[in-house]
Amino acid sequence: MTPRLERVETGVPGLDHVTRGGFPKGRVAVVAGPAGSAKTVLAGQFLASGAQAGHPGVFVTLEESADDLRRNLATLGFDVEALEERGDFAFVDGSPRYDTTADEVAPLHVDTLLAQIGQALDRTGAERVVLDSFGAAYAFEDDALMARQRLRGLLAELRRLGTTVLLTVETEHTGDSTFTANGIEQYVADSVILLRNDLEAEARRRTIEVLKMRGAEHRRGQFPCTVLPGQGFVVLPLSVQNLDQRSSDTRVSSGNPEVDALCGGGFFRDSIVLVSGATGTGKTLLVTEFLAGGVQAEEKSLMLAFEESHDQLHRNARGWGYDFEQAEKEGLLKVVATYPETATLEDHLVVIKDAIEEFGPSRIAIDSLSALERIGSRKAFREFIIGLTSFVKSKQTIGLFTASTDTLLGGTSVTETHISTLTDSIIVLRYVEVFGAVKRGMTVLKMRGSAHDRDIREYTIDGSGLHVGEPFRTVAGILSGNVVNLVSHQDSLDGVPPPSLG
């Protein structure tokens, strides 16, 4: 069998999946990226999570002070002071110090730094070492070449001791440049992890890429990532999800018996249902009935609202005869309402996943995806949808998502183009003009694995909910928005005036 390199876990959620097992043990990895790409966060998390698991580490800081790093890591959920007291974590503080006598920043002496690192290694028995940042190690040295040689000697010694070393370096810009001005990755790194923090659609988006990993397999391409309080650096390997979800033949009610009949007896337990329509067509009402159906069946239901407030959703539900406030008190319903602009798509995805893990719902509703679409690029939104749908399916949970069309009459929503192939069922709601009157039409456009009603049916909304009526037989072009009243059209051809609605 082909020998495989031993790996060490990174301590970063999702990164071990991208690296196919973690960083190669006893080797040097470089984390490169521009300012603000969270290099120090990733490095500190790697070291602190390892120390928590019983793998001591030394953090050599050449930019931020040790006190600042302790506070920053505490916001990510790591009690560094406790790890230091236990002897599993140590700082070597080589951060810049101002020399008041010379009125300048005191130069860094590499020989002194090397001695401090050696003492910390002896004291902790470190298995992991972080140097943040490598470029600063010789930035203030008069003889940069000599400083570089001494640092290379340090890395060689660290490798000889079997420690896994993580170096952070700053790239010159946020484009495709992967090397710093000093080019250190070219001769010291066994692995290069590239972080980006690019501007897309007027919003910053972080991504991570394993540029190289000598002698070890890894996944290629850029993967979205984010940094969250209490969680730290999180990688979202959305595009490598496996299509291994189980499928169920069990049906569950939509909460509306008439809609169930259109869908051949209800929704499948593990399906994703998209409801698409213009504003005012009843998308939120279908969500309300869906959640109420779960409460009636004594199933936990989770509502994620991005357009209406918590109290407004409760008020709307009361108008249709549902007591969501009582359902929440009984633990059968949880409503989470927030504005999309409060976070990035990656942040929202992590929060949604955490809410699902914590509450354990059987039903999930999101109203609406279109609200989330406006806060990121098309690529970021599609990756968000892939991650969301695959996670919901992996939990054997039914999801009902809504999307708004750009126009009131007909057309398709931009959201539909991203999610239509990932959904199991699509219900389309439309306004229909019939002889000067505006009515509503509904059709089940798609339902995988099941027969369903294919007519476009009129439906009405009143104080008791949504009611499905008869198919439209006298109009055409409803889905496209180019509605033609067939009766009046034929009568006009025959010279007969259209019928009076009175």
Side-chain angles (χ1 to χ4, degrees):
M1 296 179 61
T2 303
R4 296 175 61 88
L5 288 178
E6 188 177 353
R7 306 290 189 107
V8 296
E9 295 182 353
T10 64
V12 176
L15 185 54
D16 287 349
H17 189 69
V18 174
T19 58
R20 291 186 179 271
F23 295 136
K25 185 176 181 179
R27 295 198 173 190
V28 177
V30 164
V31 177
S37 57
K39 301 183 296 295
T40 302
V41 174
L42 189 154
Q45 192 165 327
F46 165 71
L47 209 63
S49 63
Q52 284 184 338
H55 304 290
V58 171
F59 196 112
V60 184
T61 174
L62 303 176
E63 293 185 327
E64 296 182 71
S65 69
D67 287 338
D68 286 343
L69 286 170
R70 287 187 188 96
R71 287 191 292 268
N72 295 341
L73 288 171
T75 66
L76 305 180
F78 296 106
D79 188 350
V80 175
E81 290 187 9
L83 295 174
E84 289 180 281
E85 291 176 2
R86 203 173 71 185
D88 287 333
F89 197 108
F91 281 106
V92 173
D93 194 342
S95 57
R97 289 173 171 79
Y98 190 76
D99 188 341
T100 56
T101 303
D103 194 24
E104 63 183 11
V105 176
L108 174 70
H109 298 288
V110 174
D111 289 337
T112 302
L113 177 69
L114 299 184
Q116 292 175 329
I117 294 174
Q119 292 172 2
L121 290 174
D122 292 338
R123 186 170 67 253
T124 61
E127 300 176 19
R128 304 180 180 197
V129 176
V130 164
L131 189 60
D132 181 42
S133 86
F134 191 78
Y138 48 84
F140 296 104
E141 284 288 323
D142 294 332
D143 190 343
L145 179 61
M146 182 63 67
R148 177 183 294 185
Q149 291 176 346
R150 285 196 289 264
L151 287 167
R152 290 184 67 178
L154 168 65
L155 294 176
E157 179 64 14
L158 292 174
R159 293 185 65 165
R160 187 188 68 80
L161 294 173
T163 59
T164 303
V165 184
L166 202 64
L167 312 176
T168 70
V169 298
E170 189 161 324
T171 54
E172 294 178 307
H173 55 78
T174 60
D176 290 331
S177 175
T178 56
F179 298 109
T180 63
N182 299 300
I184 59 174
E185 307 89 14
Q186 300 179 59
Y187 61 86
V188 302
D190 300 292
S191 304
V192 175
I193 311 298
L194 184 61
L195 303 182
R196 295 182 175 89
N197 188 24
D198 295 334
L199 187 65
E200 294 184 4
E202 300 183 358
R204 287 287 172 184
R205 182 170 185 256
R206 288 190 171 105
T207 60
I208 187 169
E209 178 183 4
V210 181
L211 194 64
K212 78 171 183 178
M213 191 169 281
R214 288 175 183 156
E217 294 182 352
H218 59 88
R219 299 188 187 276
R220 302 185 183 279
Q222 296 183 47
F223 300 90
C225 55
T226 187
V227 178
L228 293 173
Q231 297 188 52
F233 202 104
V234 179
V235 180
L236 303 166
L238 311 181
S239 58
V240 295
Q241 297 285 352
N242 295 322
L243 294 174
D244 55 2
Q245 298 93 349
R246 294 170 294 170
S247 296
S248 172
D249 293 324
T250 304
R251 299 266 189 169
V252 298
S253 174
S254 66
N256 186 314
E258 297 171 12
V259 174
D260 290 345
L262 295 183
C263 297
F267 303 142
F268 286 119
R269 164 60 68 189
D270 58 349
S271 62
I272 301 294
V273 182
L274 175 67
V275 178
S276 174
T279 179
T281 51
K283 300 185 299 296
T284 303
L285 172 55
L286 281 179
V287 168
T288 301
E289 292 182 334
F290 172 72
L291 296 172
V295 172
Q296 186 177 8
E298 296 187 346
E299 298 178 345
K300 283 187 174 183
S301 299
L302 174 65
M303 166 67 165
L304 298 154
F306 296 98
E307 293 185 326
E308 297 181 90
S309 69
H310 186 276
D311 290 342
Q312 188 175 0
L313 291 166
H314 277 202
R315 184 200 64 191
N316 295 344
R318 284 195 302 270
W320 289 308
Y322 304 115
D323 191 347
F324 276 7
E325 185 175 358
Q326 182 61 32
E328 286 204 273
K329 290 180 180 178
E330 295 174 356
L332 292 174
L333 176 65
K334 182 175 182 179
V335 177
V336 179
T338 185
Y339 281 111
E341 286 78 10
T342 59
T344 66
L345 285 171
E346 291 77 23
D347 292 348
H348 280 301
L349 182 57
V350 174
V351 170
I352 291 172
K353 285 183 173 182
D354 289 345
I356 293 172
E357 292 281 10
E358 179 183 348
F359 189 60
S362 298
R363 298 180 179 219
I364 300 168
I366 296 182
D367 186 31
S368 74
L369 291 177
S370 302
L372 290 168
E373 185 180 18
R374 66 175 181 254
I375 65 172
S377 65
R378 290 174 64 90
K379 178 182 178 182
F381 183 70
R382 180 161 180 80
E383 290 182 340
F384 166 83
I385 292 296
I386 292 172
L388 174 65
T389 54
S390 61
F391 184 77
V392 171
K393 280 180 169 288
S394 71
K395 295 297 181 180
Q396 289 281 285
T397 303
I398 181 171
L400 182 68
F401 307 151
T402 70
S404 299
T405 56
D406 294 332
T407 58
L408 290 176
L409 298 174
T412 59
S413 70
V414 177
T415 305
E416 280 182 35
T417 63
H418 291 288
I419 193 176
S420 59
T421 58
L422 303 174
T423 57
D424 302 288
S425 303
I426 298 178
I427 298 175
V428 177
L429 308 180
R430 290 286 187 265
Y431 287 115
V432 184
E433 182 185 356
V434 182
F435 302 133
V438 177
K439 300 186 177 183
R440 295 183 176 98
M442 168 192 294
T443 187
V444 180
L445 195 64
K446 159 187 171 183
M447 190 163 187
R448 285 178 179 153
S450 173
H452 59 88
D453 191 297
R454 298 184 180 276
D455 288 324
I456 301 177
R457 293 180 174 269
E458 182 179 357
Y459 68 96
T460 58
I461 297 175
D462 59 24
S464 61
L466 185 147
H467 309 284
V468 181
E470 296 299 317
F472 287 98
R473 298 302 187 198
T474 61
V475 294
I478 294 174
L479 295 182
S480 65
N482 300 313
V483 178
V484 177
N485 295 303
L486 299 178
V487 174
S488 61
H489 178 67
Q490 184 61 45
D491 286 345
S492 65
L493 293 177
D494 297 337
V496 179
S500 172
L501 293 177

